[in-house]
């Protein structure tokens, strides 16, 4: 059973426009959510996170929105740049700030075209 | 800090052979995770350790897979015997108190 789902395997966006990556989860006990970015032949790297007490977290061009009632989060990248082309994974944790396991989605491959 | 170190980066082996993947976590991190990435299943957690003790191995596919962490700076994931369906990229990650995990570059395993 896939507890974290990224239903779009790929997304193509023009440079300078907004990229919106979506993620749904099924377990209401999840307390903390993270986004990772992965380039080919590299490991995933942490990008941005949000705890369940917030509905928005912003870091430069990256903003994550959390809608707990819908069990949905999204990552907005504005403006998109060609260097943002990568696979993006969302992940969820049942416990905030205590280490432990993350449940990852299957990833969305973002392509930003010049 | 050198980050999480994995070896080898690439491994090609024949079906039935034993494969050992190695990982050195970031110094001071007390959690270590082994993941497998495939096109079909994305990033799957295989097993994780806290303070060198296995906490959850429910993701280990079958008895052919085993993992050890003899000390805080080293872990192995072993597949014996290997099968073609084990072909994937295997990642090791480590973390401290926070939830952010730091991943190694991965080992691409091909079993022919």
């Amino acid at each position: 059973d896939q507890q974290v789902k990224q239903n779009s395997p790929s997304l193509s966006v023009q440079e300078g426009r907004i990229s919106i990556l979506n993620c749904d989860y099924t377990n209401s006990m999840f307390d903390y959510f993270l986004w990772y970015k992965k380039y080919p032949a590299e490991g995933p790297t942490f990008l941005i996170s949000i705890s369940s007490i917030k509905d928005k977290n912003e870091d430069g061009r990256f903003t994550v929105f959390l809608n707990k009632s819908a069990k949905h989060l999204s990552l907005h990248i504005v403006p998109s740049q060609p260097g943002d082309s990568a696979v993006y994974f969302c992940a969820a944790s049942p416990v905030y700030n205590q280490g432990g396991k993350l449940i990852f989605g299957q990833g969305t491959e973002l392509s930003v075209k010049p | 800090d050198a980050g999480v170190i994995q070896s080898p980066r690439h491994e090609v082996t024949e079906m039935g052979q034993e494969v050992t993947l190695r990982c050195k976590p970031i110094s001071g991190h007390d959690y270590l995770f082994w993941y497998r990435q495939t096109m079909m299943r994305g990033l799957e957690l295989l097993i994780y350790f806290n303070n060198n003790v296995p906490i959850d191995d429910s993701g280990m596919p079958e008895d052919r897979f085993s993992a050890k962490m003899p000390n805080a700076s080293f872990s192995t994931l072993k597949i014996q015997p290997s099968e073609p369906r084990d072909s994937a990229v295997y990642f090791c990650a480590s973390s401290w108190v926070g939830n952010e995990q730091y991943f190694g570059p991965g080992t691409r395993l091909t079993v022919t």
Side-chain angles (χ1 to χ4, degrees):
Chain A
D1 181 29
Q2 196 77 16
Q3 295 187 67
V4 177
K5 298 180 184 179
Q6 294 175 255
N7 292 317
S8 298
S10 63
L11 174 68
S12 183
V13 171
Q14 206 69 30
E15 180 179 7
R17 309 294 285 267
I18 184 171
S19 295
I20 300 177
L21 297 100
N22 294 303
C23 180
D24 296 297
Y25 60 96
T26 57
N27 190 338
S28 58
M29 298 300 292
F30 285 148
D31 195 44
Y32 190 58
F33 304 88
L34 305 90
W35 284 93
Y36 279 76
K37 180 167 73 173
K38 183 185 179 305
Y39 292 119
E42 295 183 11
T45 56
F46 170 72
L47 187 58
I48 191 170
S49 62
I50 188 168
S51 75
S52 61
I53 62 173
K54 295 185 176 181
D55 55 17
K56 176 183 175 181
N57 189 27
E58 192 172 353
D59 183 2
R61 298 186 295 114
F62 301 90
T63 303
V64 56
F65 295 92
L66 175 62
N67 182 334
K68 284 183 292 183
S69 61
K71 295 188 181 69
H72 177 83
L73 65 154
S74 61
L75 175 68
H76 292 210
I77 307 173
V78 183
S80 303
Q81 300 174 354
D84 297 328
S85 297
V87 178
Y88 290 79
F89 291 96
C90 69
S93 170
V95 180
Y96 172 63
N97 210 32
Q98 291 188 26
K101 66 192 291 182
L102 297 176
I103 310 298
F104 281 85
Q106 291 171 296
T108 296
E109 183 171 11
L110 172 65
S111 176
V112 180
K113 300 190 182 305
Chain B
D1 196 327
V4 175
I5 298 172
Q6 290 187 248
S7 65
R9 293 293 311 273
H10 302 273
E11 177 78 35
V12 180
T13 191
E14 291 183 350
M15 183 174 64
Q17 296 297 307
E18 178 180 294
V19 175
T20 299
L21 311 182
R22 297 172 175 81
C23 175
K24 177 178 168 54
I26 293 173
S27 177
H29 283 190
D30 53 3
Y31 284 89
L32 184 138
F33 306 83
W34 281 102
Y35 291 90
R36 178 171 67 177
Q37 184 188 14
T38 62
M39 291 294 291
M40 292 295 294
R41 300 173 70 89
L43 263 175
E44 294 177 272
L45 177 65
L46 300 177
I47 184 171
Y48 79 95
F49 297 82
N50 180 219
N51 292 320
N52 313 336
V53 176
I55 302 300
D56 183 350
D57 65 355
S58 59
M60 296 286 263
E62 46 197 275
D63 292 345
R64 298 184 297 106
F65 285 69
S66 62
K68 293 182 179 179
M69 192 165 186
N71 57 62
S73 59
F74 183 66
S75 177
T76 59
L77 177 68
K78 186 175 293 187
I79 308 172
Q80 165 64 17
S82 57
E83 297 182 2
R85 60 192 168 121
D86 302 330
S87 297
V89 181
Y90 291 81
F91 289 103
C92 175
S94 68
S95 70
W96 190 50
V97 175
N99 291 93
E100 292 83 10
Q101 296 178 13
Y102 295 82
F103 284 76
T107 296
R108 180 173 294 277
L109 173 65
T110 303
V111 183
T112 60

